[in-house]
Amino acid sequence: MKTEATTVYVVDDDEAVRDSITALVRGAGYAVLAFASGEEFLEHIPAHQTGCLLLDVRMPGIGGMELHHELNQRCSSLSIVFISGHADVALAVTAIKNGAHDFIEKPFNPNALLKKIERALAECGERCDDAQRMRGVQDRLGRLTARESEVLDRVVAGDSNKTSAIRLGISQKTVETHRFRIMKKMEAKNLPELVQMVMFARQKEAH
């Protein structure tokens, strides 16, 4: 059995389809949780849950598109694979533009579905790794004093100690002291690693 982080969620109002997919996915070694509606899914699965969500486009009540929108609003980390009928392909493509991982059209090949699930779970894992790294960098940035943050900005901008001192109106010796403390608080082995940390955090915040 694979880990909880690789759980597959199935949301489809068609019981036969739901049972078929559940049997297929469970047979491939994944943990599976199936739901008959979007409402039922939202009631039982917390927003921070990870894994792959196989989501039918058209359902009574909260449809697949509405559920996807709600999950986006909740900043969900789930990788979504939409299950669509022929008439729903355009909707599924729109969903991908809005952040869904992929879609598969009915009737689908079982092996094709399993491959999409595997890729979706890999994507989810990468996102979770990024999120964990982001939290770590943000936590370390939060340890910096206001002056250390100013010095860090100058470091990332590529300023030398001398230039940083002139721009900030402090001595070069003071800049050097702050840089030493910044390296220690940020747990950076060298200057390139420090810059990469800050750029990573800023890029993720921009998105």
Side-chain angles (χ1 to χ4, degrees):
M1 179 66 67
K2 296 178 173 62
T3 67
E4 290 181 4
T6 58
T7 298
V8 177
Y9 304 91
V10 182
V11 180
D12 196 310
D13 63 305
D14 187 318
E15 183 178 2
V17 172
R18 196 168 63 248
D19 290 347
S20 175
I21 293 176
T22 298
L24 172 68
V25 177
R26 186 169 288 141
Y30 296 104
V32 188
L33 292 173
F35 303 90
S37 68
E39 290 88 344
E40 184 183 358
F41 176 84
L42 290 174
E43 181 181 349
H44 290 89
I45 303 302
H48 64 267
Q49 198 66 43
T50 60
C52 171
L53 170 58
L54 301 178
L55 180 58
D56 190 22
V57 172
R58 295 189 185 277
M59 296 182 291
I62 298 178
M65 301 297 285
E66 290 80 11
L67 178 56
H68 183 209
H69 176 74
E70 179 62 27
L71 291 173
N72 281 343
Q73 293 294 108
R74 299 185 185 191
C75 299
S76 171
S77 296
L78 288 166
S79 284
I80 298 176
V81 176
F82 271 96
I83 301 171
S84 69
H86 178 69
D88 301 321
V89 170
L91 287 175
V93 171
T94 298
I96 289 176
K97 292 178 181 177
N98 291 329
H101 173 77
D102 205 345
F103 75 92
I104 190 165
E105 188 178 352
K106 300 174 185 176
F108 49 79
N109 178 283
N111 288 330
L113 177 61
L114 291 176
K115 286 180 181 178
K116 288 181 184 293
I117 291 171
E118 183 178 0
R119 288 195 292 267
L121 288 170
E123 178 195 71
C124 182
E126 290 171 3
R127 268 206 313 272
C128 290
D129 289 344
D130 278 353
Q132 185 174 11
R133 182 185 173 196
M134 179 68 168
R135 286 192 294 270
V137 173
Q138 287 178 325
D139 179 63
R140 294 194 288 276
L141 285 170
R143 301 175 197 167
L144 303 181
T145 65
R147 178 61 83 183
E148 287 168 351
S149 294
E150 290 175 342
V151 172
L152 178 59
D153 286 341
R154 300 324 317 160
V155 170
V156 174
D159 288 353
S160 65
N161 287 346
K162 182 178 180 180
T163 302
S164 296
I166 293 171
R167 290 181 182 276
L168 297 174
I170 56 180
S171 70
Q172 186 170 329
K173 178 73 172 177
T174 301
V175 170
E176 291 170 358
T177 300
H178 283 313
R179 285 184 63 156
F180 174 78
R181 290 174 179 167
I182 290 167
M183 295 290 289
K184 189 173 182 179
K185 288 183 178 180
M186 292 299 296
E187 302 174 18
K189 299 183 183 69
N190 50 50
L191 185 60
E193 184 179 46
L194 175 66
V195 173
Q196 287 172 1
M197 283 184 190
V198 177
M199 295 306 296
F200 170 79
R202 289 179 178 175
Q203 287 171 0
K204 292 299 179 181
E205 287 173 352
H207 289 83

